[in-house]
Amino acid sequence: MKLHHTHSQYKRERHLMKRYRMTVADYKYMLESQGGHCIFCSATREPCGRPLAVDHDKTTGKIRGILCHRHNSALGTLGDNEIGLKQALNYVRGCL
């Protein structure tokens, strides 16, 4: 019996389903619906070649979009909420 995908593809499929209840087709559809790139920048893949990250609300589990690692990490660093984003925006506005 021939396997139809590589071990890394299998791991990706399993990760998406286990963590986000999402298929590879769901991921591709979401990515295409936002123009095929990170919602914040033009990245279509990570520099190392890995696919972009699934961004989700850590409280509800709701998937918000597909982001590059840099922007996904930035949201998490700012508390993954509106308050953290507003504080960062106020800081930047005050420093310009």
Side-chain angles (χ1 to χ4, degrees), residues 24-39:
V24 171
D26 295 333
Y27 175 91
K28 288 179 180 177
Y29 178 81
M30 181 172 276
L31 184 61
E32 286 304 313
S33 72
Q34 62 184 54
H37 54 79
C38 169
I39 208 88

Side-chain angles (χ1 to χ4, degrees), residues 1-3 14 25 30 41 59 69 72 89:
M1 177 195 247
K2 181 180 176 186
L3 292 176
R14 189 175 148 116
M30 181 172 276
C41 68
T59 304
H69 178 74
N72 195 35
L89 182 59

